[in-house]
Amino acid sequence: MNSDPYLYRSNPTYFPLGFQSNTSSDAGYNEIADNNTGYIVSGANYLTQPGDLRISKYSISDISNSLGNGATSYTYNESQKNCNLNIVTRSAASNGYKLIKDDYNQNNTTVSTALSNQFGSTKYDYKTTLGLAKYADSRENLHKLFSGASNIYGLHFMDSQISTSNKIMIPYAKVNRNEFENYELPEDCVDFNLKRKGYINFFAGTYFNNNKTFFSLHEIQRDSTGTQITAIFEISKIYNNSGLNSKDYPYIYLYSNGNYSIPVTESSDAKLGSLAFDMEWVTSPTVVDDALYYYEIPACAGEYALGSVKNKDGAYLMYLDIGASTNSTDVTTVTERITTITDSFEFVIGIDFVTSMPKIKNENEENEFEAITGHESALVVVPSTATGTLNYTMSVNQTDEKQNTLTLSAGTDSSFSGALASTYSSLNTTIVDNVNSTSIIPNPIEHHEVILDKITSYEYNAATSVMVVGVSRRLTVDGVKGQWTDDDADVREGVEATYTSEVSLTNVGDIIFEFEYSAPSTANITVETFYHPETSQYFFTITSDVDITIHITKLVTTYNYVDDGGNERSVTYSFYINSEDTTVSQGDYINIKAPSQG
């Protein structure tokens, strides 16, 4: 009989970082939020204690060394700016581990013996001395969590290793609105995506027995489908990029294998600048038990995994923020849809209709006859089995000269018999089949529909007057949805809270319509667009859940281009907003009313 302990391994457990709100419990995959950025992934691979990633509840007194000598609860006197919580950090500007001075504890002079013996009792300003960009908002959120709380909650990683040999495949995933099947994820980690340059900032408590680390950080690379992981690189150090391509790559990573994330040579555009962060401060920190730590890790846009460290058990993450904003922001999202429908028809060139009666006298007092030429008419298909006489009558509506009517009727003997069809009619021509008492709708030989969905997010920071504009686009061609793609973020400094929406032609990408408006950060503005290629008309439907006034700042009514045959062409556009009867012009102000309630 074999008495050796056996290895217990459970099925991996995973769940998304973001869920939809107000969805039923049986909504299945629809519960995943469109803006979900990743997944938490765990499993069990232990002889005696299952769980590579754990979530636990402890008493708040378990961070006693940060609460002060003998303290067992979190206290704060707002009038005196005296909070008993002391937090440890390390940053590129701190020159070692330091205690943080903030708006809550600035008048607190009490520091536990354990902290003072290791780090001293002096506290340093979080912004001016320690250079912590996201600390103020994070500390405010932590205060809300701790106020009146008797328990604290945390997530931590047990001894394991993130690698390409330790991954799972899930049947369905949704990440940043894109949907995937058979999607690979690394185990024992929090897998997440940053859409642009940002920070990973967190509070962690060192109250787990023999905790020696917080977590490791890895960059994830995937194949062209976005489903398969091709490489995982552990990040050791993060440097500022002082080279020419610093806008695209603000940071350069030194991996644990000794390679850099982008080429760093004398001839390359990337130049190794100052140290921005050393991951050793997180993977091998100076640990005082039962204390609270805070870190900010700068990162480029991309996919990352933070999680287990080989041969070490991690401390408890109590607060984790993965994002790009360094201060509290107002966020407004504008959703737009541009639908372009293209129908191809068969048409016999050269069939014209001319009315027998003059329309008007021209300036030379000569009769003008109403002519309906070429593609302004229609094509009717008469089957070979038809019998009898068929009359064609083409008329023009004198009150609306753009509207033609082609009427089909039996001859004087009323003997015509046969099913009539059409392969073409112009948009301003109606076919009336009096023989069969119906109207004829032409059938195109080809039909294509292209939908451009566009989501523009405006993150506005009133304190710094900085607006970050992000744009995501997706093309759907004949019902086949493409993946969402993100433009580079547009950072605008010294601006007011005014938001601009742009609608672009799908075939050339030029901006033809642009408007701006001011609205509360909670407003939902929707723009739907339909383009009629036959008449070159754009129809815009703009809705808002609050009353707004839009100002049309750009309107291109004429577009010049060269067709496939090398011929110069010109298209004149007309624009309609929320009405088929009213055209708009550049410079117009239009009031958009919110739907009435009740």
Side-chain angles (χ1 to χ4, degrees):
M1 180 177 177
N2 185 0
S3 60
D4 291 337
Y6 62 89
L7 179 68
Y8 174 81
R9 182 172 181 83
S10 73
N11 290 325
T13 303
Y14 63 93
F15 58 88
L17 295 173
F19 288 89
Q20 297 280 21
S21 60
N22 299 321
T23 57
S24 61
S25 59
D26 60 352
Y29 295 141
N30 292 330
E31 289 188 352
I32 304 174
D34 285 342
N35 60 354
N36 174 54
T37 60
Y39 288 80
I40 296 177
V41 189
S42 182
N45 193 9
Y46 278 83
L47 296 174
T48 59
Q49 48 182 12
D52 294 331
L53 187 156
R54 304 183 193 173
I55 299 174
S56 301
K57 179 180 77 172
Y58 282 75
S59 168
I60 198 170
S61 62
D62 281 298
I63 55 170
S64 57
N65 283 325
S66 275
L67 295 175
N69 291 323
T72 59
S73 62
Y74 176 84
T75 61
Y76 174 57
N77 186 316
E78 183 175 6
S79 62
Q80 298 179 9
K81 300 293 182 182
N82 189 343
C83 178
N84 66 330
L85 185 66
N86 292 305
I87 303 169
V88 183
T89 194
R90 184 163 185 178
S91 66
S94 67
N95 190 25
Y97 291 91
K98 295 291 191 294
L99 300 181
I100 302 175
K101 179 181 179 181
D102 55 42
D103 294 339
Y104 293 87
N105 70 358
Q106 58 184 277
N107 293 324
N108 174 34
T109 58
T110 302
V111 179
S112 68
T113 302
L115 288 184
S116 62
N117 285 344
Q118 187 67 57
F119 308 121
S121 58
T122 303
K123 290 189 281 289
Y124 298 85
D125 186 87
Y126 73 91
K127 188 174 184 179
T128 58
T129 305
L130 303 178
L132 300 175
K134 297 190 69 176
Y135 180 80
D137 283 345
S138 300
R139 181 65 180 88
E140 180 181 353
N141 291 329
L142 187 75
H143 173 70
K144 295 175 182 178
L145 291 174
F146 278 8
S147 295
S150 57
N151 296 310
I152 51 178
Y153 299 83
L155 173 153
H156 77 142
F157 306 97
M158 300 300 291
D159 174 14
S160 187
Q161 187 172 13
I162 298 174
S163 71
T164 52
S165 60
N166 188 23
K167 59 186 179 181
I168 65 169
M169 180 180 290
I170 64 176
Y172 173 89
K174 181 188 287 186
V175 179
N176 287 331
R177 299 186 179 87
N178 288 321
E179 297 176 272
F180 303 94
E181 293 181 352
N182 299 324
Y183 188 75
E184 287 188 343
L185 288 169
E187 284 193 83
D188 311 320
C189 71
V190 178
D191 176 273
F192 64 95
N193 290 261
L194 282 178
K195 296 180 70 173
R196 57 179 178 270
K197 168 187 173 182
Y199 290 91
I200 306 160
N201 61 298
F202 65 94
F203 290 101
T206 54
Y207 49 86
F208 181 71
N209 184 39
N210 201 31
N211 47 202
K212 297 179 180 179
T213 187
F214 294 109
F215 56 76
S216 59
L217 181 64
H218 302 252
E219 186 175 27
I220 309 296
Q221 295 183 1
R222 295 184 177 270
D223 65 3
S224 59
T225 68
T227 60
Q228 307 300 303
I229 295 175
T230 58
I232 298 178
F233 298 106
E234 182 176 0
I235 298 173
S236 294
K237 288 181 171 60
I238 303 173
Y239 293 93
N240 291 299
N241 183 0
S242 59
L244 297 176
N245 59 355
S246 59
K247 181 178 180 181
D248 296 326
Y249 305 98
Y251 303 110
I252 302 171
Y253 303 142
L254 174 64
Y255 298 134
S256 59
N257 62 9
N259 295 326
Y260 290 104
S261 55
I262 54 177
V264 181
T265 64
E266 289 296 327
S267 59
S268 66
D269 288 338
K271 301 298 179 185
L272 211 60
S274 58
L275 179 69
F277 199 87
D278 190 337
M279 282 303 300
E280 190 176 50
W281 303 338
V282 175
T283 57
S284 300
T286 300
V287 174
V288 172
D289 288 336
D290 301 330
L292 192 63
Y293 286 69
Y294 175 82
Y295 290 92
E296 289 182 0
I297 306 173
C300 298
E303 182 180 357
Y304 301 91
L306 59 86
S308 298
V309 177
K310 188 177 181 180
N311 299 325
K312 293 181 181 181
D313 291 334
Y316 274 100
L317 292 177
M318 304 169 64
Y319 175 97
L320 176 63
D321 184 7
I322 303 167
S325 173
T326 58
N327 291 96
S328 178
T329 58
D330 291 332
V331 179
T332 294
T333 300
V334 177
T335 302
E336 303 165 64
R337 169 166 288 189
I338 302 173
T339 301
T340 303
I341 297 175
T342 304
D343 288 329
S344 299
F345 298 92
E346 291 180 332
F347 183 70
V348 179
I349 299 176
I351 297 178
D352 298 340
F353 291 87
V354 180
T355 58
S356 59
M357 296 298 292
K359 171 188 166 189
I360 57 172
K361 294 278 189 180
N362 62 26
E363 60 183 8
N364 297 321
E365 295 300 317
E366 296 175 354
N367 288 333
E368 268 192 3
F369 292 86
E370 178 60 42
I372 302 172
T373 60
H375 69 275
E376 294 179 356
S377 55
L379 180 64
V380 176
V381 179
V382 181
S384 60
T385 56
T387 60
T389 305
L390 182 66
N391 290 339
Y392 295 79
T393 305
M394 194 72 169
S395 61
V396 177
N397 188 331
Q398 295 297 323
T399 60
D400 186 347
E401 296 176 1
K402 293 183 179 180
Q403 293 301 313
N404 309 318
T405 301
L406 174 60
T407 303
L408 309 174
S409 58
T412 55
D413 55 1
S414 300
S415 60
F416 181 84
S417 176
L420 302 174
S422 173
T423 59
Y424 172 80
S425 72
S426 66
L427 291 174
N428 55 335
T429 298
T430 302
I431 307 175
V432 177
D433 179 4
N434 284 341
V435 175
N436 300 297
S437 302
T438 185
S439 295
I440 298 178
I441 306 298
N443 295 316
I445 59 174
E446 286 188 11
H447 173 86
H448 297 289
E449 182 176 272
V450 178
I451 300 174
L452 172 63
D453 289 306
K454 178 180 173 184
I455 298 176
T456 307
S457 63
Y458 301 89
E459 299 180 5
Y460 182 70
N461 183 344
T464 59
S465 296
V466 172
M467 178 179 288
V468 179
V469 183
V471 178
S472 299
R473 291 180 172 87
R474 181 183 66 185
L475 274 179
T476 301
V477 181
D478 294 336
V480 179
K481 294 181 178 179
Q483 297 287 7
W484 286 94
T485 59
D486 298 319
D487 294 356
D488 292 334
D490 178 16
V491 180
R492 307 172 185 176
E493 300 181 356
V495 298
E496 296 180 356
T498 300
Y499 312 104
T500 302
S501 174
E502 300 173 353
V503 176
S504 304
L505 282 177
T506 58
N507 59 336
V508 293
D510 292 338
I511 298 173
I512 63 167
F513 176 67
E514 183 177 84
F515 68 87
E516 64 182 21
Y517 63 93
S518 293
S521 62
T522 55
N524 291 312
I525 315 297
T526 301
V527 181
E528 293 186 356
T529 308
F530 180 79
Y531 174 60
H532 225 313
E534 183 66 32
T535 59
S536 300
Q537 293 173 308
Y538 272 95
F539 296 93
F540 294 89
T541 302
I542 303 176
T543 59
S544 172
D545 57 0
V546 297
D547 291 350
I548 61 171
T549 298
I550 66 171
H551 178 211
I552 300 176
T553 55
K554 184 174 184 178
L555 203 64
V556 178
T557 57
T558 302
Y559 181 74
N560 299 311
Y561 69 100
V562 178
D563 64 17
D564 294 338
N567 302 306
E568 294 185 357
R569 303 288 188 184
S570 180
V571 180
T572 301
Y573 299 114
S574 54
F575 296 82
Y576 303 80
I577 293 182
N578 293 1
S579 172
E580 296 183 3
D581 301 322
T582 306
T583 59
V584 294
S585 304
Q586 183 169 316
D588 285 355
Y589 288 85
I590 300 173
N591 295 320
I592 307 295
K593 295 293 185 180
S596 58
Q597 303 297 321

